[in-house]
Amino acid sequence: MAYEQIQKAAQRAHSLSMENREKLSLGGVEDVSGFDENLIVLTTSQGQLAIRGEGLHIDRIDLDAGQLEVRGHVQELSYDEPVRSGSLWSRLFGG
């Protein structure tokens, strides 16, 4: 495996660490869709993630490295599963 492929595989690994519901560190972040002080919506290698809370702000963002740090009072983390491609029949019958 080439060095670039190893780097991309490492970037796709998703991690999440939270301290006292006030500081959130994430890895495997691919994009930030939107944010305000109550909601941050982002795409990770494991699907879309919504972070809800109060006084949320992004301390650090590095999409090249897939890293994001958030501060504020975190009340909820919720994931949406990635949409699978293919026809309904192929998804139902594993084709």
Side-chain angles (χ1 to χ4, degrees), residues 7-67:
Q7 285 292 99
K8 284 187 177 188
Q11 287 177 352
R12 282 187 240 133
H14 178 55
S15 64
L16 186 145
S17 172
M18 185 165 33
E19 296 176 27
N20 299 320
R21 292 178 62 183
E22 298 292 329
K23 181 181 177 189
L24 187 62
S25 300
L26 297 136
V29 176
E30 296 173 355
D31 189 29
V32 177
S33 303
F35 61 94
D36 63 30
E37 65 181 21
N38 299 312
L39 175 67
I40 300 173
V41 179
L42 47 101
T43 304
T44 73
S45 57
Q46 297 295 306
Q48 189 172 27
L49 173 61
I51 304 166
R52 288 182 172 77
E54 296 175 351
L56 300 176
H57 66 274
I58 297 173
D59 268 358
R60 186 175 80 87
I61 184 169
D62 184 350
L63 293 179
D64 290 334
Q67 300 292 314

Side-chain angles (χ1 to χ4, degrees), residues 57-78:
H57 66 274
I58 297 173
D59 268 358
R60 186 175 80 87
I61 184 169
D62 184 350
L63 293 179
D64 290 334
Q67 300 292 314
L68 179 81
E69 288 184 5
V70 175
R71 286 199 186 267
H73 181 70
V74 177
Q75 296 173 327
E76 178 184 343
L77 301 169
S78 62

